[in-house]
Amino acid sequence: MAVVSAVRGGRWPLFQRHRQISSSSSTMGSWGSLRSRRHLSFRPNSKRFALFARYSQSQSQDLFSSRLQDSVENLPKLVEDIVQTSINTGPRGALRMAQGIQAVIGVGGEWLSDMSKSTNSTAELPIQLQLGLLSPFYLRRLFERMGATYIKLGQFIASAPTLFPPEYVQEFQNCFDRAPVVPFDEIKTILREELGRPIESVYEYVDPTPIASASIAQVHGARLRGSQEDVVIKVLKPGIEDILVADLNFVYVVARLLEFLNPELSRASLVGIVKDIRESMLEEVDFQKEAANIESFRRYLEAVGLTQQATAPKVYYQCSTKRVLTMQRLYGVPLTDLDTISSLVSSPETSLITALNVWFGSLLACETFHADVHAGNLWLLRDGRIGFLDFGIVGRISPKTWAAMEVFLESIATEEYEAMASALIEMGATNTNVDSKAFARDLEKIFSSIKASIITYIFLQRLVDLDTEVVIATARGTNTTATAVSANVIVDERQMNALFLDVVRVSESYGLKFPREFALLMKQLLYFDRYTRLLAPNLNMLQDQRVSIASNRRSNSRDNFR
Ligand SMILES: Nc1ncnc2c1ncn2[C@@H]1O[C@H](COP(=O)(O)OP(=O)(O)OP(=O)(O)O)[C@@H](O)[C@H]1O
């Protein structure tokens, strides 16, 4: 418990762990344990005090010399590692360095211009200006300018509230993946090289204007020669693997140096985290892996008889490689396009329930689950089915974690905080004994405060004569109404996000550390929450009998999908 209370209230998990470790391994920790064993008192100038002062001094000297010895022993390995990484990076490292300097100058310029505007006003300098390029806002801008790797790192930060401070997690939710379009001639060259034959022999037609261009890939519409099927071609942008390798090697070297300078960071496994990020990013630039994820999802739909309700694009392996993915073209609209959805189906609510059931069902029944269901990747198709796109980011969840997750979700709806605490304890890896009653009380406080702010918000809306439900019901009206709807949705989402971050923060203060899947799952639930507000404002996603989360599925029939 002493360790737990020592870390409670901290904001940065890495820092928390640092404090946690030092409090147990430092001389203070030794003093504390000795003190409790022998029931000694400490009066300054007393013999005992002098004894302990000497004891403490010798302990810290021992600690210092043992650390120094560790460092000296580790130095050759560090140097070897850095040299090896630099050799692997090669000249692309220097090029990236130049691009990095350019990006820093660009964002630095933005900061200076914002500073000059602010210094003209009498108000106090906002915190983000004081922190400069290290503030969440400018750091996010810098990451966007640095391109693919850093955008993905930014998205990783946004999805890992257990590792980063909440201000950064919140800000990096806005890390947009926009990138300049690669000229069509270059795309044609890549296609020719990858497919090993003239593109005219494979495709009847390729649209030179891309459908989408993000930092890693560019997507073009096309038609297959022979079968005349409509397809899309996802092409890995040129040089992207080199950039990823150079950037990730740089991040790795920085992590190694930080761990060398502060060995306690190695217990927080900084290098381990960087290695994990490297692995998952390199997976994302391998379209053969994405193709395998799509196929496994399609197999799941087949196996449970859901192909009439949902689909994922068929992969054309004969014209797909590691860098090129040719897929069936789906036609539809994002789940946030209420106008078109209402014109396609009589009940948008039913479509949403289908999407929820298919996704929840895949958590256990499929090898992996789709871990990026933002509206661009979740469509209502023209034929009324739900289309799942982009399987670049997937997660895996164990039945044990999911069982605890179910209890957690249910407890949100039923407001049973002790059950919520037990579920979170079950999910979070910890060696400490958690005081579940105190934890439950802290969770209740978070939920009560968010409830109070929602009630205040609705009350304020009423004051200005805007009823939430009426606003949503008239969403297809004039521009002003549409603005009111989106404003409403954004406020609610922020509240949800803040709530999630609060739960994670409080859990961590009790020594819990969640698997990455927990954050991935919560993020998807926030997306689904957004769709629910738009498509079925009266639906309680976690309580409605028509929504089958995994364990119900085992006992229920498939009627829920119809
Ligand atoms: N099978 C498909 N049918 C129709 N359009 C598609 C298909 N696959 C991709 N697209 C279009 O291309 C866009 C980008 O595709 P995808 O999401 O796979 O790429 P990405 O680089 O991972 O983008 P992001 O990171 O923004 O999700 C999609 O939002 C969609 O508009």
Side-chain angles (χ1 to χ4, degrees):
M1 273 316 288
V3 170
V4 170
S5 57
V7 298
R8 192 171 298 169
R11 306 197 79 176
W12 195 338
L14 286 178
F15 181 52
Q16 284 178 354
R17 266 191 290 278
H18 168 82
R19 278 165 53 190
Q20 184 173 344
I21 288 157
S22 48
S23 67
S24 58
S25 63
S26 69
T27 45
M28 278 306 289
S30 314
W31 269 27
S33 51
L34 231 93
R35 187 177 171 177
S36 59
R37 255 182 286 150
R38 300 190 194 163
H39 309 288
L40 297 172
S41 62
F42 296 96
R43 260 174 293 115
N45 305 327
S46 71
K47 271 188 184 170
R48 274 178 188 158
F49 187 83
L51 190 74
F52 275 108
R54 267 207 305 279
Y55 174 77
S56 139
Q57 211 180 357
S58 70
Q59 283 282 87
S60 49
Q61 273 168 359
D62 284 356
L63 200 69
F64 177 74
S65 47
S66 93
R67 277 192 188 160
L68 194 67
Q69 202 182 341
D70 278 356
S71 296
V72 171
E73 276 169 16
N74 288 334
L75 192 60
K77 178 84 190 81
L78 174 80
V79 173
E80 187 195 322
D81 223 13
I82 292 179
V83 170
Q84 190 58 50
T85 311
S86 310
I87 293 169
N88 290 346
T89 311
R92 51 197 163 182
L95 181 69
R96 278 306 276 162
M97 176 85 86
Q99 289 169 338
I101 292 169
Q102 238 178 355
V104 169
I105 292 172
V107 179
E110 282 178 31
W111 173 70
L112 280 176
S113 117
D114 292 347
M115 277 290 275
S116 69
K117 279 182 217 146
S118 253
T119 41
N120 292 339
S121 88
T122 49
E124 204 193 326
L125 214 55
I127 189 83
Q128 76 183 26
L129 287 179
Q130 289 179 31
L131 284 174
L133 297 202
L134 289 182
S135 78
F137 174 76
Y138 292 105
L139 200 61
R140 197 248 308 157
R141 301 278 299 139
L142 184 63
F143 274 31
E144 283 175 346
R145 273 187 187 237
M146 290 288 290
T149 325
Y150 291 87
I151 290 171
K152 296 287 164 196
L153 273 178
Q155 290 169 349
F156 176 81
I157 291 173
S159 69
T162 51
L163 297 175
F164 302 97
E167 297 79 7
Y168 289 81
V169 172
Q170 197 97 18
E171 180 63 39
F172 279 88
Q173 310 274 342
N174 308 319
C175 197
F176 289 117
D177 195 355
R178 291 191 217 98
V181 168
V182 175
F184 188 54
D185 278 344
E186 269 187 64
I187 295 289
K188 281 202 292 195
T189 311
I190 298 171
L191 284 175
R192 219 177 358 256
E193 280 172 12
E194 283 297 310
L195 302 176
R197 58 210 135 131
I199 52 175
E200 298 75 27
S201 69
V202 180
Y203 307 104
E204 174 90 27
Y205 161 82
V206 182
D207 189 347
T209 311
I211 300 175
S213 179
S215 57
I216 286 187
Q218 186 155 306
V219 178
H220 286 263
R223 184 168 304 135
L224 285 183
R225 184 163 286 283
S227 70
Q228 298 290 307
E229 282 162 279
D230 281 354
V231 292
V232 297
I233 318 171
K234 190 165 166 178
V235 183
L236 201 66
K237 289 203 164 166
I240 202 71
E241 288 144 304
D242 278 355
I243 292 177
L244 276 188
V245 169
D247 290 355
L248 290 168
N249 282 352
F250 172 71
V251 175
Y252 174 76
V253 167
V254 171
R256 281 288 273 131
L257 282 172
L258 285 176
E259 271 196 10
F260 180 76
L261 296 174
N262 183 357
E264 274 160 12
L265 283 175
S266 68
R267 300 189 211 203
S269 165
L270 187 63
V271 168
I273 292 167
V274 172
K275 277 186 179 163
D276 278 355
I277 295 177
R278 179 155 68 173
E279 208 172 292
S280 75
M281 275 194 196
L282 293 177
E283 270 196 18
E284 236 193 290
V285 294
D286 180 350
F287 288 160
Q288 272 158 353
K289 297 230 162 81
E290 182 167 345
N293 296 334
I294 297 177
E295 278 309 308
S296 116
F297 189 76
R298 284 172 61 88
R299 276 200 304 276
Y300 148 70
L301 293 178
E302 286 275 342
V304 294
L306 285 175
T307 49
Q308 298 301 309
Q309 283 76 30
T311 191
K314 177 180 163 196
V315 175
Y316 293 92
Y317 282 98
Q318 70 278 20
C319 38
S320 295
T321 66
K322 198 171 168 231
R323 296 188 182 83
V324 169
L325 184 57
T326 305
M327 302 172 269
Q328 170 193 12
R329 182 166 188 168
L330 301 180
Y331 290 96
V333 292
L335 270 204
T336 42
D337 185 348
L338 182 59
D339 280 357
T340 316
I341 290 176
S342 305
S343 70
L344 283 173
V345 290
S346 56
S347 165
E349 185 180 63
T350 309
S351 301
L352 175 69
I353 290 171
T354 303
L356 280 166
N357 283 333
V358 170
W359 184 79
F360 274 128
S362 72
L363 291 176
L364 289 189
C366 191
E367 288 154 47
T368 53
F369 66 89
H370 194 301
D372 196 16
V373 291
H374 67 70
N377 292 339
L378 193 58
W379 286 5
L380 179 73
L381 305 182
R382 283 183 195 161
D383 62 12
R385 287 185 300 171
I386 301 294
F388 287 79
L389 284 92
D390 189 5
F391 285 74
I393 303 177
V394 293
R396 284 179 189 81
I397 188 159
S398 69
K400 183 173 164 270
T401 307
W402 178 242
M405 188 77 185
E406 278 183 275
V407 176
F408 170 67
L409 296 177
E410 204 179 310
S411 67
I412 296 178
T414 56
E415 301 184 29
E416 286 171 63
Y417 297 103
E418 289 196 11
M420 188 183 291
S422 313
L424 289 169
I425 293 168
E426 179 75 34
M427 268 184 282
T430 178
N431 299 327
T432 45
N433 240 342
V434 179
D435 178 349
S436 63
K437 290 236 171 348
F439 185 24
R441 279 196 298 277
D442 282 350
L443 288 168
E444 185 169 0
K445 270 185 224 150
I446 301 175
F447 280 81
S448 313
S449 74
I450 200 97
K451 253 181 3 200
S453 73
I454 290 171
I455 291 166
T456 316
Y457 175 67
I458 293 172
F459 176 70
L460 287 175
Q461 274 198 322
R462 293 257 157 83
L463 273 187
V464 290
D465 233 7
L466 273 173
D467 186 294
T468 324
E469 281 168 32
V470 173
V471 170
I472 289 176
T474 55
R476 271 159 286 139
T478 60
N479 276 346
T480 40
T481 318
T483 315
V485 172
S486 46
N488 180 23
V489 169
I490 286 166
V491 169
D492 287 345
E493 267 174 39
R494 287 210 177 139
Q495 281 168 335
M496 287 289 290
N497 224 357
L499 179 71
F500 168 46
L501 291 178
D502 275 350
V503 168
V504 170
R505 187 178 48 74
V506 167
S507 306
E508 281 183 351
S509 73
Y510 282 88
L512 300 177
K513 184 177 177 322
F514 298 118
R516 185 167 174 247
E517 268 56 40
F518 176 73
L520 274 181
L521 280 176
M522 290 307 289
K523 198 173 165 200
Q524 313 317 307
L525 292 176
L526 291 181
Y527 285 132
F528 279 118
D529 181 65
R530 178 188 303 178
Y531 309 144
T532 307
R533 286 168 204 282
L534 276 172
L535 303 178
N538 295 323
L539 178 84
N540 184 333
M541 181 171 95
L542 300 179
Q543 277 193 318
D544 197 289
Q545 290 300 307
R546 293 165 297 169
V547 179
S548 307
I549 51 177
S551 60
N552 299 345
R553 175 72 46 81
R554 281 177 222 121
S555 50
N556 285 359
S557 69
R558 268 191 239 125
D559 292 347
N560 291 313
F561 299 104
R562 302 210 166 100

